Amino acid sequence: MIIAVDGPSGSGKSSTARGVASRLGLRFLDTGATYRAVTWSAMEHGLDLDDTAAVAERARELRLEISTDPTRQFVIADGTDVTAAIREPRISETVSKIATNLDVRKELIRRQRAVIDAAQPSGGIVVEGRDIATVVATDAELKVLLTADQDARMARRGAELAAGSVTAEQLRDQIVRRDADDATVSEFQVASDGAVTIDSTHLSLEEVIDVISRLAKEAEAARRDRES
């Protein structure tokens, strides 16, 4: 099956989706990592990130390998392990410029769908991002919009980062500005048709994983009933 988890920055999408995948024995795809990898590559090549054509060409040329094992995540770009590098503040501050490049989006959506297709024989995949349910995998058996209030999202994102690695202003920029920028090309703050909205503000990570895992099992049982 395909489980789509969408939501704003800091809502806990990655940790939740990875936990659900581990719990259910599914593959896992962090689509945001693909945009970060293109951002890293464009910056390494010294490209003008406002040159949308040049950046899109870099996205098409990039040799990208991304793990779908929820217990062992890595990202390799043009032979370089960038797993840690793509989480650096300089990437977080810039990635929206790449994610709003429509030609880059077209290329990465193509790649993401290929990863999803490849995961089907192994039982399925949990995919998280901005527009998984609405664009990337519209046929997902379970669609989830994961939300949380702004204070909770900032606290979670801050907890993920090394102490002192970003200022409070940079952290707010990562959450608030990125959401505003990405909203220009993706309707990730409104639940798509058939999606379940989960407000995780007052829920622990394990509680959210429990809810989504239960919904996934119910969706799978319903599918089997329809096919029988």
Side-chain angles (χ1 to χ4, degrees), residues 95-107:
V95 65
S96 282
K97 190 178 289 291
I98 305 302
T100 53
N101 182 321
L102 297 181
D103 287 332
V104 170
R105 293 184 70 81
K106 181 179 179 180
E107 169 62 17

Side-chain angles (χ1 to χ4, degrees), residues 9 16 29-30 42 61 71 83 140-141 153 157 170 215 217:
S9 299
T16 297
L29 177 60
D30 172 3
E61 293 177 349
T71 66
T83 309
E141 284 86 352
R153 292 189 288 121
R157 179 54 54 84
Q170 288 173 319
L215 292 172
K217 291 175 181 177

Side-chain angles (χ1 to χ4, degrees), residues 142-189:
L142 175 61
K143 302 174 181 179
V144 174
L145 176 63
L146 188 61
T147 67
D149 68 28
Q150 183 174 300
D151 289 342
R153 292 189 288 121
M154 288 184 63
R156 288 170 184 168
R157 179 54 54 84
E160 293 173 356
L161 303 172
S165 62
V166 296
T167 65
E169 182 177 348
Q170 288 173 319
L171 183 59
R172 181 175 293 277
D173 178 77
Q174 287 189 25
I175 297 295
V176 179
R177 183 191 55 77
R178 277 194 57 201
D179 282 348
D181 288 349
D182 291 356
T184 64
V185 293
S186 175
E187 282 287 342
F188 62 88
Q189 301 191 67

